[in-house]
Amino acid sequence: YQPVVHCGGISQSVQIVSMDKEYLRSYDEGVITFRFMYRPEYLEIGNIFIMREGNLKALGKVLKIDK
């Protein structure tokens, strides 16, 4: 599963590395760790992003950045 993350000028596929829940439904909240697929990108804590694939859309906020 490789959704696309849109954040400012960034638009790139990501790989979901882990989730704090097995699955998320509409209006659920959770913590998702993802990794950009093709090149590193510059994000800051607090950035808002949209993650989408097909009909799925999710709104998120950057909480932590691992290097």
Side-chain angles (χ1 to χ4, degrees), residues 4 14 17 21 36 44:
V4 176
V14 296
V17 176
K21 298 179 182 177
F36 288 106
E44 293 181 336

Side-chain angles (χ1 to χ4, degrees), residues 11-27:
S11 181
Q12 187 178 164
S13 294
V14 296
Q15 176 184 13
I16 295 178
V17 176
S18 66
M19 294 176 44
D20 67 340
K21 298 179 182 177
E22 187 173 342
Y23 55 87
L24 296 171
R25 294 184 179 157
S26 294
Y27 304 104

Side-chain angles (χ1 to χ4, degrees), residues 29-48:
E29 294 183 7
V31 177
I32 299 172
T33 302
F34 62 83
R35 180 176 297 125
F36 288 106
M37 295 292 296
Y38 304 109
R39 63 189 174 280
E41 298 286 2
Y42 180 79
L43 294 175
E44 293 181 336
I45 293 175
N47 282 125
I48 303 296

Side-chain angles (χ1 to χ4, degrees), residues 55-66:
N55 291 332
L56 170 77
K57 294 173 185 77
L59 181 64
K61 183 176 182 180
V62 177
L63 302 176
K64 181 181 172 186
I65 298 173
D66 290 335

